[in-house]
Amino acid sequence: MNAASQIVYLNGEYLPLEEAKVPVLDRGFIYGDGVYELVPVYGREPFRMAHHLARLQRSLDGIRLANPHTTAEWEAIIRKLVSLQPYDDQGVYFQITRGVAKRDHAFPQGVPPTIFMMSNPLPTPSRDQVERGVAVVTADDNRWQRCDLKTISLLGNVLMRQLAADVGAVETIMFRNGFLTEASASNVLCVIGGTIVAPPKDNLILPGITYDAALEFARDAGLPMEIRPVARAEALAADELWLSSSTKEVLAITSVDGKPVGDGKPGPVFRKVWQIYQDRKARPG
Ligand SMILES: Cc1ncc(COP(=O)(O)O)c(C=O)c1O
């Protein structure tokens, strides 16, 4: 075994990445038939693991796939995988597919799921991105109606993200029927007249663990907030816009389609919540 190779988890085994192989008839490969999670790990301690495992259960229920492990088993596997990596801050990615079967859309019977997990260094935003904010572009949200499930069928999100990549922006924020939904791989929060305004967690957005954490931390700090639909014009005129995700944490958007947000700098409410997030992420739980 090559000493430098990354150890990943596949169907009960811990093995070097290059030895982890999945048959081509896996329904994840053929149909994108599976769900996934990503748990951020700070100083080798998973952050909000219970929330991620609860969302995993919700996603599995949503695609009618039995959970192959108890919460305690998932926690043990995650902790073991973390212990096998040489870095302290990690992003544990794991996906469960409906297994390997002859190609047929209907669910196969009696087929074990495929479980794959890997843990990479956590790619948090650079100092420059935190201090200056990031640019996004906008697009109409043309994804399916179950964006609340964290499925591996991500082509809609991939195409959206590429619109940003094409012009050197970080994200694509989306609007459906004139209302803000989310970004291609993150949630979007607004600050309007000093109040944090976030779109509701309905079927059109992923219920972000970081979205919840940011709102919880802001509530604890006594900051005013509202959960309600945000019209496009209102979002584009907001004083502050933020992205939230397990890898971006909270990150200020300072330009939308080339136009500045507010005064073009990360705003005061963002800076407050970002600081609380930095303090709280170092605590377990
Ligand atoms: C489409 C989408 N929305 C929101 C999020 C943010 O979710 P979380 O904060 O749980 O990372 C993600 C994260 O991958 C995502 O892919």
Side-chain angles (χ1 to χ4, degrees):
M1 181 183 125
N2 169 0
S5 63
Q6 182 183 5
I7 300 298
V8 301
Y9 174 98
L10 182 64
N11 299 327
E13 277 188 88
Y14 297 87
L15 70 179
L17 177 62
E18 57 276 17
E19 287 174 28
K21 299 264 168 33
V22 177
V24 290
L25 286 183
D26 192 279
R27 289 177 64 98
F29 183 55
I30 298 285
Y31 294 120
D33 184 1
V35 298
Y36 77 107
E37 269 301 326
L38 185 134
V39 181
V41 172
Y42 297 104
R44 298 194 172 272
E45 191 54 45
F47 183 61
R48 301 215 146 203
M49 178 156 54
H51 296 76
H52 284 276
L53 292 175
R55 184 173 64 185
L56 175 70
Q57 183 65 57
R58 206 178 159 280
S59 299
L60 287 166
D61 291 345
I63 70 159
R64 298 166 58 188
L65 183 58
N67 194 334
H69 291 302
T70 63
T71 301
E73 286 168 351
W74 280 119
E75 289 194 16
I77 299 168
I78 290 168
R79 286 187 186 281
K80 170 141 189 209
L81 191 62
V82 166
S83 76
L84 294 171
Q85 313 307 320
Y87 16 88
D88 290 340
D89 292 350
Q90 306 179 24
V92 179
Y93 172 92
F94 51 115
Q95 69 168 50
I96 303 141
T97 77
R98 211 179 303 275
V100 181
K102 180 174 175 298
R103 188 180 181 281
D104 177 9
H105 289 55
F107 300 169
Q109 298 303 314
V111 168
T114 301
I115 306 169
F116 171 63
M117 307 175 74
M118 63 183 163
S119 193
N120 293 311
L122 189 68
T124 46
S126 66
R127 191 85 221 161
D128 188 67
Q129 287 182 319
V130 171
E131 279 166 12
R132 291 151 68 119
V134 297
V136 304
V137 296
T138 62
D140 279 333
D141 196 340
N142 59 8
R143 300 170 304 157
W144 71 333
Q145 301 269 342
R146 294 306 310 273
C147 297
D148 55 323
L149 303 177
K150 201 164 170 63
T151 79
I152 61 169
S153 317
L154 285 172
L155 186 55
N157 302 61
V158 164
L159 293 173
M160 285 293 165
R161 178 60 166 277
Q162 189 57 35
L163 295 176
D166 286 344
V167 295
V170 160
E171 260 290 23
T172 302
I173 65 171
M174 296 177 277
F175 298 91
R176 196 189 288 256
N177 300 323
F179 287 90
L180 175 65
T181 54
E182 60 178 345
S184 74
S186 27
N187 291 110
V188 180
L189 297 99
C190 314
V191 177
I192 301 172
T195 298
I196 301 170
V197 184
K201 291 190 292 178
D202 56 17
N203 61 310
L204 300 179
I205 71 170
L206 188 80
I209 306 302
T210 319
Y211 163 113
D212 279 345
L215 291 181
E216 184 187 310
F217 299 164
R219 192 173 294 120
D220 291 351
L223 300 175
M225 68 184 60
E226 256 179 78
I227 311 294
R228 62 165 173 84
V230 183
R232 182 187 173 93
E234 219 185 347
L236 297 182
D239 306 315
E240 300 184 23
L241 288 174
W242 315 342
L243 297 169
S244 76
S245 82
S246 295
T247 52
K248 293 186 191 72
E249 303 181 337
V250 282
L251 190 58
I253 297 169
T254 45
S255 150
V256 177
D257 292 334
K259 298 185 198 80
V261 177
D263 64 1
K265 299 194 195 91
V269 187
F270 165 76
R271 288 204 303 272
K272 208 175 271 180
V273 172
W274 181 86
Q275 189 54 57
I276 303 172
Y277 198 93
Q278 299 311 303
D279 297 342
R280 296 280 289 265
K281 78 183 192 186
R283 296 188 206 162

